[in-house]
Amino acid sequence: MFRRALLAILAGIAVFLVPWTVYLGLTLPERFDTSQWRFAWVGFDIVLLLCFASTVLLGMRRSRASVPMLAATATLLFCDAWFDVVLDWGGPDQWVSLGTALLAEVPIAVFLLLRARALLAGNARPRPLTMRDIAVHTNPDYQRLLRLLPATSAELSAQVPEIDVPAALSTLAQAGYTRRTRDGRWHPVPQSTNEAKPEDFPEADRATLAAYLDAKYDREVRLLAWAAERRETFDGWTAGSRAGMRLSFKDLKEFEAEYLELVHRYAARKPAAAGEARDLSVRFYAFPEPKPAELA
């Protein structure tokens, strides 16, 4: 009810602004003198400065609030560019204002909007599962290395001398599971794969896929059983909820996408985690509600 009322109000405002804008275009004078010109622009730049500073602080804290702050800062930059160019047009500073807008304000604003979109969408977009993914997931050496990241190749070689670390890291990088930063450290790259369907794979690979999926879900069942048996031993390091919802297929996919965005956003904090931080197993499952007889 509230959502519909809000949308109705916003639609009404949009409709009202059409004749109002036409009215202003016909009645406003070409020139207008004001005694608060300096105060208006200095105040605007102070607000812009505060937006940049707030964005930096929120970004350092990896807060979700950095997304709307990035959008707000970008909007103010677009406004700054618009008024600088329009109000200086025809004057001695018109080309300086135009150059500043095109080379600085607008590009920075676009970049901020793209970063806000990336943060909102998460770092890993769902993609189809491939045989190379299965090879990575079923190779114990690759999994050991991924759990030890971030680290340098030398640090990994010292911890697992029995593994050919440079070759393994190269393979993982080609598969998109790792990346090397300028400081020489290797970092894991978040991955999100869609549920695999046998008909999407060649006939020759379907047996491998079936074995992989069977082993995957068998491990999941054993993992949940293990956690349930030891739920009193985790000293509060547990979280979970159960819910039943009536959703359409589209609603379910939207819910899953928002969940993945949240997971990827929090996973990005891992390199900076310290103190009491621990590795946690996080799972999300949704499936059709079983009939009582099916659980008997």
Side-chain angles (χ1 to χ4, degrees):
M1 183 63 182
F2 176 78
R3 175 177 174 272
R4 292 182 180 179
L6 177 61
L7 292 177
I9 293 172
L10 294 177
I13 294 174
V15 171
F16 168 77
L17 285 175
V18 174
W20 177 250
T21 303
V22 174
Y23 169 75
L24 292 179
L26 296 174
T27 60
L28 283 179
E30 290 291 333
R31 296 178 179 275
F32 183 78
D33 293 329
T34 178
S35 60
Q36 301 298 331
W37 182 259
R38 180 181 301 173
F39 178 77
W41 280 109
V42 172
F44 182 91
D45 285 341
I46 290 175
V47 173
L48 186 60
L49 182 154
L50 292 176
C51 282
F52 272 107
S54 299
T55 302
V56 171
L57 293 176
L58 292 171
M60 293 175 63
R61 296 174 55 188
R62 299 182 182 272
S63 171
R64 295 182 63 184
S66 60
V67 173
M69 188 56 66
L70 282 168
T73 306
T75 302
L76 288 179
L77 282 173
F78 281 126
C79 293
D80 197 10
W82 167 261
F83 285 108
D84 280 343
V85 172
V86 171
L87 296 178
D88 284 338
W89 196 257
D93 295 329
Q94 72 172 23
W95 298 115
V96 174
S97 296
L98 185 61
T100 302
L102 295 178
L103 299 178
E105 293 166 330
V106 171
I108 293 174
V110 172
F111 173 75
L112 294 180
L113 288 178
L114 291 175
R115 286 306 305 157
R117 181 178 181 274
L119 291 174
L120 192 61
N123 296 324
R125 298 181 181 277
R127 59 175 179 78
L129 181 76
T130 66
M131 294 303 296
R132 185 161 61 175
D133 294 317
I134 294 177
V136 170
H137 293 163
T138 56
N139 187 307
D141 290 345
Y142 295 159
Q143 296 305 305
R144 288 182 65 187
L145 291 178
L146 289 172
R147 286 193 292 268
L148 293 173
L149 298 181
T152 64
S153 179
E155 292 171 344
L156 293 172
S157 296
Q159 296 182 68
V160 284
E162 67 277 12
I163 298 177
D164 186 352
V165 171
L169 289 175
S170 177
T171 300
L172 289 171
Q174 293 175 7
Y177 281 79
T178 59
R179 63 180 177 86
R180 187 181 182 185
T181 53
R182 293 181 179 179
D183 60 1
R185 294 172 66 82
W186 290 84
H187 295 259
V189 177
Q191 299 291 323
S192 178
T193 56
N194 295 321
E195 181 66 24
K197 298 180 180 180
E199 57 268 25
D200 295 334
F201 286 74
E203 185 70 31
D205 295 331
R206 292 179 184 178
T208 302
L209 172 65
Y212 165 74
L213 293 177
D214 288 344
K216 171 186 173 182
Y217 287 112
D218 178 69
R219 182 182 182 279
E220 290 295 295
V221 171
R222 289 187 287 109
L223 176 64
L224 292 175
W226 175 88
E229 292 174 357
R230 294 163 177 78
R231 62 185 181 276
E232 303 296 338
T233 67
F234 295 135
D235 297 327
W237 280 87
T238 57
S241 64
R242 294 189 299 267
M245 292 184 285
R246 189 175 183 84
L247 302 175
S248 67
F249 186 79
K250 180 182 178 181
D251 292 336
L252 174 60
K253 293 306 175 182
E254 291 178 353
F255 185 93
E256 180 186 18
E258 292 186 16
Y259 166 80
L260 289 175
E261 291 172 5
L262 181 64
V263 169
H264 297 152
R265 191 155 48 242
Y266 272 77
R269 299 182 177 186
K270 184 176 180 180
E276 297 182 354
R278 298 175 62 177
D279 289 325
L280 299 175
S281 292
V282 181
R283 298 293 188 271
F284 159 72
Y285 292 110
F287 43 82
E289 185 73 20
K291 298 178 181 178
E294 293 177 320
L295 296 178

